[in-house]
Amino acid sequence: MEIVLSGIRSTGHLHLGNYYGALRNYIKMQDNFNCFFFIADLHSLTTHPHPDDFHAGVRTILAEYLASGLDPQKSAIFVQSDVPEILELYILLNMISYKGELERTTSFKDKIRQQPDNVNAGLLTYPVLMASDILIHRANLVPVGKDQEQHLEMARVLARRFNTFYNSEVFPEPKAFNFGDDLVKVPGLDGSGKMGKSEGNGVYLCDDEKSIRKKVMKAVTDAGPTEHNSEMPEPVANLFTLLKIVSDQSTVEEFTNSYNNCTIRYGDLKKQLAEDICKQTLPIKARIEEIYKDEEYLRKVVKRGTDLARESAQATLKEVRKAVGFRSFLSSDD
Ligand code: TYM
């Protein structure tokens, strides 16, 4: 059975980008693959969360995973920092990752612009840690959104490079995965770019009906089309992208037609969009709080997931250490 792995950083709450770009695929994959899903708490440290908030961040994502339908009986659900094997692989992969290629990563260049006072080494080697997350389970498929495509390419490069460097076949090349053909980019409601946690343009799985409606009704549009079949400006195209993601095909066709013949009323489009978002997210919201509070349940879920993840990680690390040439004085089976 093919191995699937993916994760989300523990910063804030999950939004529609996380859900439709990643989490919904996790849920669909659970029945047919050997799945590992985790919370990337170490990755979240690049932005220095306050120690008082750090654990709550992890717990939030865990509760939102489970409320969305991740099933701990089907998938191994764990927290990155509970699996130290990842970090050993991270050190080893760092030795075959080069400064130049890491500096050229788009996400690194973006971060330099966004946080010029905190360009730490963790940001530079972020893709190496991510490759370690993936390769430690020898994953074949990695469900992610479009923004992670370059990181996935780095994981593929490192898998190949390790195998060649150490003349081994330890790692398969992992592939980015989406149930459609292309990876998804969920746009924000502010007219341009993607929905993101730090962009302040998101609809969250934990939002209530009123705030979802308010956010959608405030979304940027324009004065409306004046010529038949005219090209959509980006903010309007973004609303249609969201509509295609959350609504059924006939709704999308209806509004596309009314755009093309210039009869569209953006207010109606937004009302429909808000309603269809609510239909998808409110049942999830209703479960989040209760799960978040259930300490005993969360502990059980993570215990089972961590045991599975460590077993898989240890098996890989054994192969890795052999390939690199470690021979321990301390154990007889090496
Ligand atoms: P993160 O936490 O930024 O995002 C988690 C997942 O959500 C997807 N995503 C989106 N997809 C479509 N449209 C959007 N607007 C949007 N915003 C976010 C992301 O593509 C991602 O799949 N580095 C990763 C976390 C990570 C990881 C891994 C992922 C660490 N190790 C190993 C996969 C495998 C990250 O920061 O994702």
Side-chain angles (χ1 to χ4, degrees), residues 311-323:
E311 192 186 318
S312 148
Q314 281 164 7
T316 304
L317 205 50
K318 203 166 169 197
E319 301 282 310
V320 167
R321 291 176 129 256
K322 200 151 82 188

Side-chain angles (χ1 to χ4, degrees), residues 34 42 73 134 138 158 163 176 234 240 275 301 312:
N34 183 8
L42 296 170
Q73 296 305 324
I134 298 168
R138 288 177 274 189
L158 288 177
N163 289 346
E234 193 183 352
F240 272 89
E275 197 170 304
V301 168
S312 148

Side-chain angles (χ1 to χ4, degrees), residues 5-9 11 15 17-22 26 38 40 43 80 126 129-130 133-134 142-148 151-152 184-187 194-197:
L5 171 125
S6 198
I8 299 183
R9 274 174 305 154
T11 45
H15 52 64
N18 301 130
Y19 184 71
Y20 288 104
Y26 304 178
F38 73 103
H43 276 107
Q80 188 181 29
Y126 187 102
L129 180 55
M130 182 158 157
D133 294 326
I134 298 168
V142 185
V144 283
K146 183 90 186 145
D147 60 318
Q148 298 296 318
H151 289 156
L152 246 293
V184 177
K185 175 178 144 186
V186 178
K194 65 162 188 164
M195 187 174 289
K197 286 177 188 159

